[in-house]
Amino acid sequence: MKQLIAANWKMNGSLPHLQAYVPALLAGLEESSGISARAVICPPSPYLPALAQMLKGSPVGVGAQNVHSSPKGAFTGEISVSMLADLGVGICIIGHSERRQLFGETDGMIRAKLEALLSAGLEAILCVGETLEEREAGRHESVVEGQVQAALAETGAEALTGLAVAYEPVWAIGTGKTATPEQANTMHGVIRTCLAGNLNAGAAANIPILYGGSVNTDNAGSLLSQSEINGALVGGASLEAPSFLAILKQAG
Ligand code: PGA
């Protein structure tokens, strides 16, 4: 399957940054005809309209970092799925560990967001991952399986169009510590098996499973060449166009 490389800018950037970044990225993409991966940029939400406008007609998509599960209502500060769709945003990160840990997102909230996105025909990148403590206690696989299962519970679906999963070990996010390609590949296999247990096997085989956590220009190639790794969710190294481009070039 085509690899998916998503840039998660988190709460970084500015309008001048955006205005310099996009032309640099698009010029770099045009120069290198060898990029076959699908690229998506997820900026802070105030920049979504400008980014969507700037990327119109380009091969790079626009994604959001968060969404609310309700269609509308008294939810100050929140954004609905239809609002994203209005802007041409077709994909959204959900369940990032920062949202789980810092903003109290529960499995139930994440499940509701997933359902809201997929039922409206948008795509979701569902983030899962264990803490260092959980890995050291040997519970990493069961924790991640639990997160995947909780997100899919009650969907009752045999197939879920538009779902991607990002395995992001919490201890590797923003720390410079990366899971080894083997550690990541093993966990991706566990996630695939878990997906197959919830959906039909054919559908599970087609769900991209991305790796995230300190992906950079040096380690992207070895991670992305693993059999079970179908892309990357890139934080820090996606903030500058040259490094994001260099990662894109290593994807297949
Ligand atoms: P990082 O972030 O690449 O800076 O570790 C990845 C993420 O949190 O999605």
Side-chain angles (χ1 to χ4, degrees):
M1 81 181 73
K2 201 173 191 168
Q3 291 196 324
L4 170 60
I5 311 293
N8 176 11
W9 285 2
K10 309 190 181 184
M11 197 173 74
N12 294 296
S14 64
L15 201 51
H17 174 261
L18 187 71
Q19 285 161 344
Y21 185 108
V22 176
L25 179 67
L26 295 182
L29 284 174
E30 214 165 290
E31 272 167 32
S32 47
S33 45
I35 293 168
S36 52
R38 177 180 170 207
V40 171
I41 298 175
C42 307
S45 54
Y47 302 128
L48 286 170
L51 184 63
Q53 195 62 37
M54 293 171 88
L55 292 175
K56 218 173 200 163
S58 85
V60 183
V62 187
Q65 297 177 14
N66 187 27
V67 72
H68 195 275
S69 56
S70 296
K72 63 173 185 170
F75 301 106
T76 301
E78 294 292 324
I79 300 170
S80 73
V81 170
S82 66
M83 292 170 191
L84 294 181
D86 278 347
L87 298 177
V89 176
I91 186 164
C92 182
I93 298 168
I94 54 171
H96 192 282
S97 62
E98 287 152 15
R99 297 221 50 93
R100 292 178 192 256
Q101 292 190 334
L102 304 174
F103 302 99
E105 283 197 11
T106 62
D107 282 331
M109 290 158 78
I110 295 160
R111 175 167 62 229
K113 288 173 191 227
L114 179 65
E115 202 187 322
L117 284 163
L118 299 191
S119 63
L122 277 78
E123 295 174 86
I125 301 175
L126 167 69
C127 300
V128 295
E130 82 286 356
T131 62
L132 186 59
E133 199 184 14
E134 289 162 342
R135 178 164 281 267
E136 284 175 346
R139 296 198 293 120
H140 47 295
E141 293 188 358
S142 62
V143 165
V144 168
E145 282 168 336
Q147 289 170 337
V148 172
Q149 247 148 20
L152 300 186
E154 294 164 30
T155 61
E158 289 242 308
L160 288 178
T161 307
L163 173 65
V165 177
Y167 168 54
E168 297 207 306
V170 177
W171 48 270
I173 294 177
T175 58
K177 286 185 202 150
T178 324
T180 63
E182 295 73 26
Q183 280 175 325
N185 204 48
T186 301
M187 185 63 92
H188 284 218
V190 169
I191 293 170
R192 181 87 58 205
T193 304
C194 183
L195 290 169
N198 284 267
L199 310 168
N200 69 49
N206 287 323
I207 292 173
I209 305 178
L210 320 184
Y211 171 78
S214 298
V215 174
N216 59 35
T217 51
D218 294 335
N219 60 29
S222 56
L223 287 160
L224 290 169
S225 61
Q226 297 295 310
S227 59
E228 291 292 336
I229 299 186
N230 313 121
L233 184 53
V234 189
S238 74
L239 289 174
E240 299 302 332
S243 53
F244 189 50
L245 193 62
I247 292 169
L248 279 175
K249 285 185 188 170
Q250 296 178 57

